[in-house]
Amino acid sequence: MSSIVRRARSSPLPSFLAWRALGFRTICSGGLGIAAPSGSPAASSAGIKVLESFKEEFEVGSRVVTLETGKIARFANGSVVLGLDETKILATVTCAKSDSPRDFLPLTVDYQEKMFAQGLIPNTYMRREGAPKERELLCGRLIDRPIRPLFPSGFYHEVQIMANVLSSDGKQDPDILAANAASAALMLSDVPWGGPIGVIRLGRIGGKIVVNPTMDELNSSDLHLIYACTRDKTMMIDVQAREITEKDLAAALRLAHLEAVKYIDPQIRLAAKAGKQKKEYKLSMLSEKLLEKVSDLAATRVESVFTDPSYGKFERGEALENIGEDVQKVFEEEGDQESLSILPKAVDTVRKRIVRSRMISDGFRVDGRHLDEVRPIYCETHYLPALHGSAIFSRGDTQALCTITLGAPGDAQSLDSLVGPPKKRFMLHYTFPPFCTGEVGKRLGLNRREVGHGTLAEKALLAVMPPEENFPYTVRINSEVMASDGSTSMASVCGGSMALMDAGIPLRAHVAGVSIGLVTDVDPSSGEIKDYRIVTDILGLEDHLGDMDFKIAGTRNGVTASQLDIKPAGIPLDIVCESLENARKARLQILDHMEREINSPRVQDGTNSLRLATLKYTNDALRSLSGPMGVLKRKIEEETGARLFIDDGTLTIVAKNQAVMDKAQEKVDYIIGREIVVGGVYKGTVTSIKEYGAFVEFNGGQQGLLHMSELSHEPVSKVSDVLHIGKYITMQCIDTDVRGNIKLSLKALLPKPTSGPESFPVEKETVSVETSSFGETVARLPSVVEPPQKSKLAVPAVVIRTAVECDEAEKSSPVDKNAKPKRAAAMKPDRKLKSTASKQTVKEDEALNSTDTEETLDDCGETLTLGKKPSRKERQLENEAGDSPSISARKLKIGTEMTAKVHQVRTHGLVLDLGGGMRGMYKFEGDEEAEFEIGETLLVKCTSFSSKGIPVMALVDEEDV
């Protein structure tokens, strides 16, 4: 295998620059030492070791595959490096030298993916790989299943196969490469084995079969088939599909066989070059003499047990155990210690022969069923109403309880693997507790069998799940096996499908599964199958005593998943394809029972149904929501009970019910708000009340104007009659503008009255708010009035203008400036806001800018400064007017024009008689009080109401009438 070649080491440097010429040794471990005297004997130079390696190259599916041995892992019984493109797998085989007494083959298959294979460092605390991941366990099972049946009967030496991914390009899944490498390593080793095998992966894209598809191609494929075989027989099948028909699946299996055998001849050639001679291992075989003796003692009693259908699982097991004990007593009396060590296996072999011969000859099974008969079925949904979904499925004595738990996208499982998607949002976890078989046992960590069965059921149901775009939830199914008597994984499929429907998940169709068995009559001399029987819905005993366990799941339209495990050294592919039709007929019977129980997604009442909301925000807003080190986010989760998941620009809220969701959204809206949508309903707090409406803070500090016309369908004279500062209200956004100003409405959420009093005539005017050059916001009523008409609004809008705009309007007005106006003079524009004006007033002014003036006004009326408290003069005038008797102000609306008489002339203004005992007030500007006399008739217009509800009037020019 290798040879040692010695040659003189020549220095590339001139002799006068060499370290030895300078009297120094070479630097070793960072030290610099003085060379030994020239007279001392020189150390011999190391030779060069040449590793002899052997290599085979061949083509499968238009890709070149290489098998190489002899370069690394030379101490193993057999080692091979298999390469495909940039992906390389090392497989090694070792066999224990001692032979401990046992009656089974202790074969261990370990598959490992390390992050160095893609140039990465593990993202763990220790920065190294830990316990086997779920994917590694599944890949180990994938290698074990086709290899185990080919070891010779009676070979019970411990064998370990290890497959390590050395490098991965992420394009090819290394699992089937590892299986082929393990087969080649067994061929090179000295371990007796009946291989080789070939393992292939097929996909189907657009109706065309693809051999060795890449991971990207598998994403668009409706078939994912892994097939293992010897030259003429099938060893293992693993299928995940999107409702593929049995006919198409059979055609894919036949094509896969032709491609898989391409791996066989290169392994044989490589073994001929570099393989080891097979060792002579001691085999633990049962003699025919021992089997005949056990058969004479137990055959009749065993047959009577198997022919009595009244026996249940445990009654049958107890009866067979008693027969075995009686046989053991006979051998103990004879003192045959050698036979006693293998007696249990001999008794089991006799049972197997009796059951198989009866099924082939008579066509009846141990429980009295026909070969194609399905056990009685029981279905129940909504068994646990407090959960999102639940179901019980029983077939015979096998029973599974399946529950559904819904979660947010952030609850998806992270898959730390070299290939495939980084996350998985649909999970099925299968649990096989000891009590389901009436035994005592310990619950340890991940179990290979549980992981494998759960993954098979998960594949079967994944095909009918709604796409992530329509159903963004993460779904977890827990399948708890309550009782086991064969095919618990297929019971998990049936129960899981009903539980998904019970949870309200919109499945495309129900999925059911059944296990198909096989019993063969083999010619001992040639090994050929003389006769066989296909068995539907096998029991646990039939699985143990039969040759095949072919699990097939699907809908009425086709197969979604299947898995084939066998015990003999291969099964003809024709028998496998024939089993597909038997499985289809049984599947339809099971689907009938499931659909009678529940045939459509259940409508949730909202009590226990999960709520999920996905909101879009800027990353800056999400950072403010999270807070430093996520403190604020955690506080919201603790206070509300909801869970928040923050991704790039996306916030996902998950709540147990609608009440928790509303509470969480309210917290989020208060902190960062959300996009304002016209028609959206929001909650907020009244921060200030004005004569024309109220300002509400909501949605993370945003301000909106709630005009008094939007308070109620009924007329509202004062805003304070409906609202007060600090009141928490629910309102609707009815309009926004390009500047971000928001209009709100309370009455939009109130039912419209069926009948009511006729509305008073009002103006059609809108509000306009502007800010003067010196920062003061002023409001002005229009001087041009349209004819009175009915309005849908209870209170008309107010037109607001700045003092600067009023001055410009006066300059451009055609009215004679020398004429004496019979109305209040405009406010001087040099009055400034107080320095203590709050930030709140600025937000209110911006909100008022949301409305545009609908008509051009020629003159300015009375101007009111917003955000300022009434002056002492105004308060005194208001009190004087309030001393007069008044009637209800509901009959008087803002903008209504009327004639009024001067009732009193006061220091700061007039008290006006509006008729019907109603009084109003007019405020003087300058020396205007000398112009009016008691009893004088004036044309006035209502501009607003004081805090006590007294109308505030303004004079109307005769030119404006």
Side-chain angles (χ1 to χ4, degrees):
M1 298 288 291
S2 64
S3 60
I4 304 297
V5 179
R6 299 178 183 272
R7 62 183 180 183
R9 187 188 300 268
S10 59
S11 175
L13 296 175
S15 59
F16 63 90
L17 291 179
W19 284 98
R20 295 184 183 276
L22 298 175
F24 295 103
R25 293 198 305 262
T26 55
I27 298 176
C28 182
S29 300
L32 185 64
I34 303 298
S38 57
S40 60
S44 59
S45 59
I48 297 176
K49 186 173 185 177
V50 178
L51 301 177
E52 186 178 9
S53 62
F54 301 90
K55 192 173 184 179
E56 284 289 332
E57 290 188 359
F58 55 100
E59 187 174 318
V60 177
S62 72
R63 285 185 169 86
V64 176
V65 181
T66 61
L67 291 172
E68 186 178 11
T69 186
K71 187 172 290 186
I72 59 176
R74 299 165 59 84
F75 284 173
N77 290 50
S79 64
V80 166
V81 175
L82 187 146
L84 177 64
D85 297 337
E86 298 297 326
T87 301
K88 290 185 179 296
I89 311 294
L90 169 66
T92 59
V93 175
T94 52
C95 182
K97 298 177 175 58
S98 59
D99 181 20
S100 302
R102 58 176 67 90
D103 60 351
F104 67 96
L105 172 62
L107 173 63
T108 304
V109 179
D110 293 322
Y111 172 90
Q112 190 173 28
E113 294 178 346
K114 292 191 175 182
M115 300 307 292
F116 73 79
Q118 284 189 338
L120 300 174
I121 296 176
N123 191 24
T124 60
Y125 180 76
M126 298 298 294
R127 294 297 186 267
R128 64 182 303 166
E129 289 76 15
K133 298 185 287 288
E134 184 176 301
R135 169 178 162 79
E136 293 174 329
L137 296 179
L138 293 173
C139 292
R141 280 175 55 87
L142 187 73
I143 300 170
D144 183 293
R145 286 159 50 198
I147 286 175
R148 186 179 292 271
L150 294 176
F151 284 93
S153 178
F155 180 78
Y156 298 146
H157 291 260
E158 186 174 5
V159 178
Q160 184 180 35
I161 300 174
M162 300 188 70
N164 296 277
V165 182
L166 301 181
S167 66
S168 173
D169 56 7
K171 299 178 181 178
Q172 290 287 335
D173 195 325
D175 53 358
I176 64 164
L177 304 180
N180 285 293
S183 172
L186 282 168
M187 291 296 294
L188 293 169
S189 70
D190 55 5
V191 179
W193 188 63
I197 64 170
V199 186
I200 197 71
R201 172 181 280 111
L202 296 185
R204 189 177 69 169
I205 303 174
K208 183 180 179 181
I209 297 295
V210 180
V211 181
N212 281 340
T214 63
M215 298 303 298
D216 293 337
E217 290 173 334
L218 282 176
N219 293 333
S220 57
S221 173
D222 62 353
L223 173 65
H224 184 184
L225 167 63
I226 299 177
Y227 180 84
C229 65
T230 59
R231 193 177 295 277
D232 55 356
K233 292 185 179 180
T234 301
M235 296 302 302
M236 185 270 296
I237 296 174
D238 198 285
V239 175
Q240 180 180 358
R242 299 174 187 169
E243 298 180 277
I244 186 173
T245 63
E246 283 76 9
K247 181 179 178 181
D248 291 346
L249 179 56
L253 291 174
R254 298 186 187 280
L255 178 60
H257 189 93
L258 298 177
E259 294 292 332
V261 295
K262 295 180 180 179
Y263 281 93
I264 294 178
D265 287 336
Q267 296 180 49
I268 296 175
R269 293 196 299 267
L270 186 64
K273 296 178 184 177
K276 298 179 180 179
Q277 183 70 30
K278 299 296 181 181
K279 284 186 179 180
E280 294 289 337
Y281 286 92
K282 180 181 179 182
L283 304 179
S284 299
M285 304 296 293
L286 297 175
S287 64
E288 286 297 328
K289 181 180 178 180
L290 176 62
L291 292 175
E292 289 178 4
K293 186 176 181 179
V294 173
S295 179
D296 293 341
L297 294 173
T300 304
R301 296 175 61 187
V302 170
E303 187 173 0
S304 64
V305 172
F306 286 149
T307 55
D308 188 354
S310 63
Y311 279 105
K313 174 180 178 179
F314 292 102
E315 292 81 3
R316 187 184 305 114
E318 185 177 354
L320 294 175
E321 186 177 351
N322 293 334
I323 295 173
E325 291 176 355
D326 294 341
V327 174
Q328 184 176 356
K329 290 179 182 178
V330 174
F331 279 88
E332 288 176 350
E333 292 174 357
E334 295 178 355
D336 190 351
Q337 296 297 327
E338 183 179 354
S339 299
L340 282 172
S341 61
I342 57 175
L343 184 61
K345 190 168 186 65
V347 174
D348 186 67
T349 303
V350 171
R351 295 175 188 169
K352 184 176 181 179
R353 289 179 177 179
I354 294 172
V355 172
R356 294 165 66 91
S357 63
R358 184 170 181 268
M359 294 175 69
I360 291 178
S361 59
D362 302 336
F364 285 95
R365 300 154 74 171
V366 295
D367 58 354
R369 285 184 295 149
H370 294 284
L371 298 179
D372 59 350
E373 186 177 349
V374 179
R375 288 174 286 175
I377 294 173
Y378 172 80
C379 301
E380 180 183 348
T381 58
H382 215 57
Y383 175 69
L384 301 172
L387 305 185
H388 297 154
S390 60
I392 296 176
F393 180 83
S394 298
R395 184 170 52 226
D397 289 333
T398 297
Q399 185 181 68
L401 169 63
C402 295
T403 61
I404 304 297
T405 307
L406 301 178
D411 291 324
Q413 179 185 1
S414 297
L415 302 177
D416 190 15
S417 59
L418 297 179
V419 294
K423 291 183 179 294
K424 182 171 69 173
R425 72 179 187 96
F426 177 67
M427 301 163 281
L428 193 149
H429 295 159
Y430 168 97
T431 306
F432 193 86
F435 67 78
C436 71
T437 55
E439 300 174 353
V440 176
K442 293 183 178 180
R443 296 295 300 153
L444 302 176
L446 280 178
N447 181 283
R448 293 192 179 214
R449 180 181 179 276
E450 291 181 343
V451 172
H453 281 42
T455 302
L456 174 61
E458 180 183 299
K459 292 177 181 178
L461 294 171
L462 185 61
V464 297
M465 287 291 292
E468 187 174 359
E469 296 77 18
N470 302 332
F471 191 79
Y473 294 87
T474 295
V475 182
R476 183 194 184 202
I477 303 179
N478 274 85
S479 177
E480 305 287 332
V481 178
M482 298 288 104
S484 173
D485 191 14
S487 192
T488 54
S489 61
M490 295 296 98
S492 299
V493 172
C494 301
S497 180
M498 292 192 299
L500 289 170
M501 287 275 193
D502 184 59
I505 298 176
L507 298 185
R508 292 207 302 268
H510 261 314
V511 180
V514 68
S515 185
I516 304 298
L518 177 69
V519 176
T520 58
D521 183 12
V522 180
D523 186 354
S525 59
S526 62
E528 296 295 328
I529 298 177
K530 297 187 298 183
D531 199 2
Y532 66 91
R533 294 290 184 272
I534 297 176
V535 185
T536 300
D537 186 21
I538 58 176
L539 297 171
L541 180 64
E542 293 169 338
D543 183 14
H544 172 66
L545 302 178
D547 296 329
M548 177 180 78
D549 183 9
F550 194 12
K551 303 179 182 72
I552 305 172
T555 65
R556 293 186 180 274
N557 299 326
V559 176
T560 58
S562 70
Q563 177 178 294
L564 172 66
D565 295 317
I566 62 173
K567 294 183 179 66
I571 293 175
L573 183 57
D574 292 336
I575 297 178
V576 174
C577 295
E578 183 182 346
S579 303
L580 295 174
E581 181 61 24
N582 292 55
R584 188 188 69 84
K585 294 178 180 178
R587 188 170 72 246
L588 295 179
Q589 298 178 38
I590 300 169
L591 286 171
D592 290 338
H593 288 270
M594 296 169 58
E595 290 172 355
R596 281 196 291 268
E597 174 64 24
I598 182 170
N599 59 3
S600 62
R602 187 184 302 277
V603 178
Q604 301 296 314
D605 58 3
T607 305
N608 298 309
S609 56
L610 189 73
R611 293 291 185 267
L612 185 146
T614 302
L615 307 173
K616 297 292 184 181
Y617 293 101
T618 63
N619 288 326
D620 292 337
L622 292 177
R623 277 191 289 270
S624 64
L625 174 66
S626 179
M629 305 297 292
V631 173
L632 191 55
K633 171 178 168 291
R634 289 195 298 271
K635 182 179 179 182
I636 296 175
E637 293 176 334
E638 292 172 359
E639 292 179 351
T640 63
R643 288 194 292 170
L644 277 61
F645 298 89
I646 297 176
D647 201 356
D648 186 18
T650 303
L651 170 65
T652 303
I653 307 175
V654 181
K656 292 177 60 178
N657 49 50
Q658 189 60 44
V660 176
M661 174 61 73
D662 293 341
K663 191 175 181 181
Q665 285 187 336
E666 179 182 331
K667 294 280 187 182
V668 172
D669 292 347
Y670 184 78
I671 297 174
I672 60 175
R674 51 186 164 133
E675 183 182 359
I676 301 299
V677 179
V678 175
V681 178
Y682 305 92
K683 294 182 180 180
T685 305
V686 177
T687 57
S688 64
I689 296 179
K690 304 298 178 183
E691 295 177 354
Y692 48 84
F695 285 91
V696 183
E697 181 176 344
F698 70 108
N699 200 41
Q702 290 182 286
Q703 291 284 333
L705 173 63
L706 180 58
H707 195 269
M708 65 186 305
S709 63
E710 296 294 332
L711 293 178
S712 174
H713 293 289
E714 301 296 333
V716 177
S717 59
K718 292 191 299 182
V719 179
S720 58
D721 291 342
V722 181
L723 301 176
H724 60 82
I725 294 177
K727 185 174 182 180
Y728 193 72
I729 59 174
T730 301
M731 63 274 176
Q732 186 180 61
C733 175
I734 58 175
D735 192 17
T736 59
D737 62 16
V738 295
R739 291 176 291 183
N741 299 311
I742 304 166
K743 294 181 184 179
L744 304 173
S745 174
L746 276 180
K747 73 178 185 180
L749 300 178
L750 300 176
K752 293 184 178 180
T754 55
S755 62
E758 187 174 343
S759 302
F760 283 87
V762 294
E763 298 180 14
K764 284 186 177 180
E765 297 172 359
T766 57
V767 180
S768 176
V769 176
E770 296 181 7
T771 304
S772 62
S773 58
F774 48 84
E776 180 181 13
T777 303
V778 293
R780 174 187 179 276
L781 291 175
S783 58
V784 178
V785 182
E786 292 185 0
Q789 56 183 341
K790 293 184 178 181
S791 173
K792 296 181 180 179
L793 299 177
V795 181
V798 180
V799 178
I800 304 174
R801 285 193 174 185
T802 63
V804 176
E805 182 181 348
C806 292
D807 292 340
E808 293 177 354
E810 287 183 357
K811 293 176 181 180
S812 61
S813 175
V815 180
D816 186 4
K817 296 182 180 180
N818 297 323
K820 182 178 178 181
K822 294 185 178 181
R823 59 184 177 86
M827 181 178 291
K828 298 179 181 180
D830 57 346
R831 302 176 69 181
K832 298 184 179 180
L833 290 174
K834 295 182 180 180
S835 60
T836 58
S838 64
K839 187 185 302 183
Q840 178 70 28
T841 304
V842 177
K843 292 184 178 179
E844 295 168 2
D845 298 340
E846 293 176 354
L848 284 172
N849 288 334
S850 61
T851 57
D852 299 324
T853 305
E854 293 180 353
E855 50 188 329
T856 303
L857 305 178
D858 297 331
D859 297 304
C860 294
E862 179 184 10
T863 57
L864 304 175
T865 302
L866 298 180
K868 296 181 61 178
K869 296 182 180 180
S871 64
R872 180 179 179 183
K873 184 185 298 185
E874 293 172 349
R875 290 197 302 268
Q876 182 177 356
L877 181 61
E878 180 180 330
N879 294 332
E880 292 172 351
D883 295 336
S884 303
S886 62
I887 62 175
S888 175
R890 293 182 180 273
K891 295 183 179 181
L892 183 63
K893 305 299 177 183
I894 295 176
T896 304
E897 295 185 4
M898 62 176 63
T899 58
K901 291 184 178 181
V902 178
H903 181 70
Q904 292 180 359
V905 179
R906 300 292 181 91
T907 305
H908 304 295
L910 302 177
V911 177
L912 302 176
D913 184 1
L914 303 180
M918 185 167 60
R919 300 287 188 265
M921 68 176 183
Y922 170 71
K923 184 183 66 173
F924 287 152
E925 291 291 338
D927 297 332
E928 196 176 6
E929 65 270 14
E931 301 175 2
F932 300 97
E933 298 178 358
I934 296 176
E936 182 180 357
T937 301
L938 304 175
L939 181 61
V940 295
K941 178 172 63 176
C942 179
T943 60
S944 63
F945 292 89
S946 70
S947 60
K948 295 183 178 181
I950 300 174
V952 178
M953 313 302 291
L955 297 179
V956 180
D957 287 340
E958 294 179 357
E959 293 84 353
D960 296 336
V961 177

